[in-house]
Amino acid sequence: MKNKLNSKADMQLAAELIRDSRSMIAFTGAGISVESGIPPFRGPEGLWSRYDPQCLDLDFFHSHPKESWTVIKTIFYDFFGKAEFNQAHRVLADFEAKGLLKALVTQNIDNLHQMAGSKNVLEFHGNSQKLICPHCKKIYLPQEVNLDVLPPRCVADKQILKPDFVFFGEGIPEEAYRRSIEAARKADVVLIIGTTGEVMPAAMIPTEAKRAGATIIEINTEPSNYTNNITEIFLQGKASEILLKLEDLIQRN
Ligand code: NAD
């Protein structure tokens, strides 16, 4: 890491790298959605300080579907379902629309990037705003399902529906995994935003890009596993504040 405070020169250099990039990708984590009111999982304010993470354990879900679903409904449908995208999600969608951002690899499952208008979103951990029948693979939107009666079931075969995101003990969706690695290996710049880089295998995406020659720009309120390791420009602060500044600098240049 060059320095921790955001000097004007760091912001300017980051803006120039983004503007001149040819195959930039973003890699986002729970931090980008904190300003939308969604807490991270860990830490004193995290969801796991209030709820038991075993509701997202695949074996527990299968053996105790009603118990799991009661917690899942509270977190992901009563709460996540009402969240709105913030300026950080919006700036990334605009970078893509302008041709600056080629792919957005996200660990988030809150659907906020898509709501902000991002198109090429590679969902490493799936999406909570879809439900799937594990048997016939039919996909439902939350509003198509009666969540007053738990656990919800598939209308076609009466199997218990599962939120379409990756549970503990479950593998990464194959296509998202393959396309994320491909995008990382082609990337010339990676914008890492709001992630500790602790969850594997997702955490290796920026490292893979760095190994293939990409320049790493990181935005986070705190240093992460990447900061003293692969990050070249560390911009310390809230995702929306930093991205708005970068957007402004790019527009002026
Ligand atoms: P994490 O909870 O481990 O870390 C969050 C990171 O965001 C920290 O480094 C923190 O310093 C930073 N941060 C906090 N507020 C910020 C802000 N305003 N601007 C910029 N950075 C900020 O998150 P993770 O690394 O993404 O790993 C958690 C796992 O949990 C992921 O796999 C993800 O699937 C899941 N998760 C998703 C959501 C969501 O969909 N919104 C929420 C919680 C957890």
Side-chain angles (χ1 to χ4, degrees), residues 29-31 35 40-42 107-110 125 194-196 220-221 239:
E35 290 166 86
F41 281 166
R42 281 159 283 164
Q107 300 168 87
N108 293 347
I109 55 175
D110 55 25
H125 293 153
T195 173
T196 46
N220 200 314
T221 47

Side-chain angles (χ1 to χ4, degrees), residues 11 29-30 34 59 61 66 83 85 121 123 140 153-154 160 170 212 215 220 250 252:
M11 288 295 286
V34 165
D59 290 338
F61 177 78
K66 191 167 181 181
F85 66 84
V121 183
E123 295 176 312
Y140 294 83
R153 289 180 185 270
C154 177
I160 292 172
E170 213 175 2
T215 302
N220 200 314
I250 291 165
R252 276 198 243 167

Side-chain angles (χ1 to χ4, degrees), residues 19-226:
R19 186 200 60 198
D20 298 341
S21 68
R22 296 179 157 272
S23 49
M24 179 172 79
I25 65 167
F27 178 69
T28 65
I32 197 168
S33 296
V34 165
E35 290 166 86
S36 294
I38 298 182
F41 281 166
R42 281 159 283 164
E45 302 296 316
L47 288 168
W48 299 147
S49 63
R50 276 181 277 160
Y51 304 101
D52 190 339
Q54 77 171 352
C55 68
L56 300 188
D57 179 275
L58 198 59
D59 290 338
F60 186 83
F61 177 78
H62 287 313
S63 55
H64 301 77
K66 191 167 181 181
E67 221 174 312
S68 283
W69 256 109
T70 304
V71 181
I72 288 169
K73 175 181 182 288
T74 310
I75 302 176
F76 297 101
Y77 302 101
D78 297 345
F79 183 50
F80 269 40
K82 294 190 181 70
E84 290 177 4
F85 66 84
N86 65 52
Q87 287 292 344
H89 298 101
R90 199 271 306 153
V91 171
L92 291 184
D94 281 357
F95 281 173
E96 181 182 2
K98 289 184 178 122
L100 289 175
L101 186 69
K102 295 296 187 282
L104 198 168
V105 181
T106 189
Q107 300 168 87
N108 293 347
I109 55 175
D110 55 25
N111 203 42
L112 294 182
H113 284 302
Q114 289 88 337
M115 284 166 67
S118 286
K119 302 275 182 268
N120 193 18
V121 183
L122 305 175
E123 295 176 312
F124 216 85
H125 293 153
N127 188 325
S128 66
Q129 299 307 303
K130 286 182 205 155
L131 293 85
I132 186 166
C133 170
H135 185 68
C136 71
K137 307 292 179 209
K138 183 173 164 56
I139 296 279
Y140 294 83
L141 297 176
Q143 60 270 28
E144 295 169 338
V145 175
N146 179 7
L147 291 175
D148 292 332
V149 184
L150 297 178
R153 289 180 185 270
C154 177
V155 286
D157 55 27
K158 307 291 177 238
Q159 297 295 312
I160 292 172
L161 299 179
K162 177 186 167 294
D164 197 14
F165 61 78
V166 176
F167 277 37
F168 299 123
E170 213 175 2
I172 304 300
E174 240 171 70
E175 197 190 336
Y177 187 92
R178 181 181 48 76
R179 290 183 55 206
S180 299
I181 298 271
E182 272 171 23
R185 290 187 181 149
K186 275 195 264 169
D188 56 357
V189 175
V190 181
L191 264 182
I192 303 177
I193 307 167
T195 173
T196 46
E198 277 174 20
V199 179
M200 285 299 274
M204 56 138 191
I205 293 295
T207 313
E208 194 66 29
K210 172 80 176 179
R211 207 175 290 144
T215 302
I216 311 292
I217 302 170
E218 180 180 10
I219 300 171
N220 200 314
T221 47
E222 305 291 334
S224 74
N225 284 356
Y226 301 112

